[in-house]
Each structure stands twice: as C-alpha cells, then as structure tokens.
C-alpha cells in the first residue's frame, strides 16, 4: 500500500515503518496518525509480520506534533475529533512487539510516539523531550503518564515543567531507552533485535507483551497471579514442548506458533 507520510517495508518477518516527512522533521499531523494507524492494522493482520521497527530519519525520529496544523484549532475541534486518540488506541490494541529505533530529535509527540512502542533502541545522537510547556499546553499522547511511569515523578516533572531535553546517555540511565548504539549501527541493531524476536514462538511473544504491560495497570498481587496463569497456560502449547525438548537436546527450537 502506498502512503504519503510513512514508508513501509517488510524484510524477513519484520515490518519496518519509517516516518517520512523530512521537510517537517517528521512532525506528527493528522495524516501521519491516519497512516500509522492503518499500517499497524495491516501489520497485525499480516501473518508474515512477527515484529515491527518504527523509525524516522537520522536527524529526527519525530520532532513533535505538527504545530502549524494544530495552532488554529479550538477545544471543540480537538475534543470532538479526539485528536491523537485513534493512534494511541492502535498501539494499545497491537499485539506484536514494536521497537522504536530513535535517532536525532524525539520531542513532544515524537517522544510520546517512541514511548508507545514496547522498547526503544537509541542512537548516540538521540534527544528526548516534552517541551509542550513552551507552547502553553501539556503533553497529550501519553507523555505525562508513560514517561512518569518510566523515569519517576521527579524527573518527569523536571522535563515537563522546564521543557529540557534528555540525551541518549541519560535516556538509557533513566530507563527510557533499553540500549544506546552508535548512529551508524542503529538500524542494523534494531532490525537484528526484531529478527531475533521474530524467531521466537509468536504465542509466547504476545504473552510476554501482555504480561509486562499488565504490570503497569494492576496491583502486584494481581499481576503475579496473571503472570502465573499465563505461564501455566503456555504448557498447553506445542511450542512449550518443542522449546523445552530442544533445550534438553542442545539444539535450536523449531517453533510453529501452536
């Protein structure tokens, strides 16, 4: 499918989605929201896709939401259209793993978009920030919620109230990025990680994603019970039998997603 603001390629069971608004530093506008939502839906329904990598350019993952598009809108406009709601819901519904490969600026909506992904691999030139305060608004795609859960109240308050940027090293220390690599190695690293995930049992991968996400939304006791029950449930799968037998036989498992 041809898109205007993103480019999608499928390579070795991995869907690579690249933001493609170079003149606007990949700023997120309504078309990006529409096309990303469509692309995620297509990837969910494509059995050949087992993992997704979301990236931008070397200069900017996404430098924020499109201020030009938003500046003249009223409360009624953004409320009745539920601005950015469909994109957030698309990520919440998506069951396959999504890796954000971030280089350059990931600011405002761009930072929030990266945080929607399951984890972030950052280039050493990456900069993260929530500078909405400088525009007289607040983050609106999860920045006050996801970032706070990751870095804690103090650092989240610091970033949101001052609008300062976080470099790649601080992002890794703070848990925003899972790892930092040189810029030239970002895409090989991200695609390699995605391919490694794609080799695993898809049933187990989806279960891991669901269980880890549940930890954000429930008490420890309920989360432990959920984890234990899905652990038990995986003993009903062929992949569990194959995985354990392959371990005992000292060979690579041949998962069948059953």
């Amino acid at each position: 499918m041809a898109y205007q603001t993103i480019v999608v390629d499928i390579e070795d069971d991995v869907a690579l989605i690249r933001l493609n608004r170079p003149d606007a530093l990949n700023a997120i506008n309504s078309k990006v929201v529409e096309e990303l939502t469509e692309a995620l839906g297509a990837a969910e329904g494509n059995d050949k896709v087992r993992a997704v990598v979301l990236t931008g350019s070397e200069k900017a993952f996404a430098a924020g939401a499109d201020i030009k598009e938003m500046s003249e809108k009223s409360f009624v406009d953004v409320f009745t259209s539920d601005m950015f709601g469909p994109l957030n819901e698309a990520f919440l519904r998506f069951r396959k793993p999504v890796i954000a490969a971030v280089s350059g600026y990931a600011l405002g909506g761009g930072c929030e978009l990266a945080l929607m992904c399951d984890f972030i691999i950052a280039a050493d030139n990456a900069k993260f920030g929530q500078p909405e305060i400088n525009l007289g608004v607040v983050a609106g795609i999860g920045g006050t919620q996801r970032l706070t859960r990751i870095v804690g109240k103090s650092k989240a308050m610091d970033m949101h109230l001052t609008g300062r940027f976080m470099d790649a090293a601080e992002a890794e220390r703070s848990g925003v990025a899972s790892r930092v690599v040189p810029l030239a190695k970002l895409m090989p690293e991200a695609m390699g990680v995605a391919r490694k995930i794609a080799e695993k049992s898809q049933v187990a991968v989806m279960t891991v994603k669901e269980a880890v996400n549940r930890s954000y939304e429930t008490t420890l006791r309920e989360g432990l019970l959920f984890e234990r029950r899905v652990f038990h449930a995986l003993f009903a799968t062929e992949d569990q039998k194959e995985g354990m037998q392959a371990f005992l036989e000292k060979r690579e498992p041949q998962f069948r997603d059953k």
Side-chain angles (χ1 to χ4, degrees):
M1 180 176 178
Y3 296 101
Q4 296 177 25
T5 64
I6 63 174
V7 177
V8 181
D9 293 301
I10 298 176
E11 307 173 13
D12 301 328
D13 301 322
V14 176
L16 174 61
I17 302 176
R18 188 181 297 275
L19 301 176
N20 188 36
R21 296 190 70 212
D23 294 341
L25 294 178
N26 294 327
I28 302 168
N29 64 5
S30 56
K31 194 65 176 178
V32 172
V33 169
E34 175 189 328
E35 293 189 340
L36 267 180
T37 301
E38 289 178 5
L40 287 174
E44 183 75 62
N46 187 342
D47 291 339
K48 294 181 179 179
V49 173
R50 301 170 67 85
V52 173
V53 173
L54 177 62
T55 193
S57 67
E58 290 189 358
K59 188 174 183 179
F61 175 77
D66 193 316
I67 307 305
K68 183 177 180 180
E69 182 182 74
M70 291 192 298
S71 62
E72 298 302 321
K73 292 185 180 294
S74 68
F75 164 75
V76 172
D77 293 333
V78 299
F79 180 73
T80 56
S81 67
D82 193 20
M83 180 182 283
F84 300 123
L87 182 61
N88 190 58
E89 289 300 316
F91 273 89
L92 290 173
R93 289 194 305 268
F94 195 72
R95 302 183 71 194
K96 299 174 184 180
V98 185
I99 302 165
V102 176
S103 57
Y105 296 110
L107 307 178
C111 183
E112 292 169 297
L113 179 60
L115 293 174
M116 289 182 196
C117 300
D118 294 308
F119 61 97
I120 297 170
I121 299 177
D124 52 12
N125 73 333
K127 292 187 182 299
F128 300 87
Q130 299 289 169
E132 290 87 351
I133 195 76
N134 297 327
L135 302 173
V137 292
V138 63
I141 325 177
T144 63
Q145 304 303 303
R146 290 188 175 96
L147 185 65
T148 305
R149 282 167 165 78
I150 294 168
V151 304
K153 177 184 175 182
S154 182
K155 193 175 287 288
M157 283 286 193
D158 178 8
M159 293 184 66
H160 282 284
L161 291 175
T162 68
R164 77 170 181 87
F165 297 168
M166 173 188 287
D167 65 17
E170 184 181 1
E172 186 177 28
R173 291 196 309 270
S174 302
V176 170
S178 67
R179 59 184 86 175
V180 176
V181 298
L183 175 59
K185 295 183 178 180
L186 175 63
M187 293 314 299
E189 181 83 4
M191 293 299 290
V193 170
R195 291 187 184 105
K196 182 178 287 291
I197 293 171
E199 294 172 356
K200 313 300 183 186
S201 163
Q202 188 82 337
V203 180
V205 166
M206 288 182 173
T207 303
V208 167
K209 177 168 176 171
E210 191 169 336
V212 173
N213 283 335
R214 182 63 65 95
S215 73
Y216 281 101
E217 300 174 1
T218 190
T219 63
L220 176 60
R221 188 177 188 88
E222 288 300 316
L224 289 170
L225 177 60
F226 179 84
E227 177 191 75
R228 195 160 66 250
R229 291 296 180 248
V230 294
F231 168 73
H232 295 162
L234 287 173
F235 278 73
T237 67
E238 294 179 16
D239 284 349
Q240 173 266 330
K241 302 297 186 293
E242 167 61 13
M244 293 191 176
Q245 192 62 38
F247 176 84
L248 294 173
E249 295 174 1
K250 296 181 171 58
R251 61 175 174 82
E252 290 296 317
Q254 301 298 314
F255 294 121
R256 299 176 59 199
D257 303 330
K258 294 183 178 181

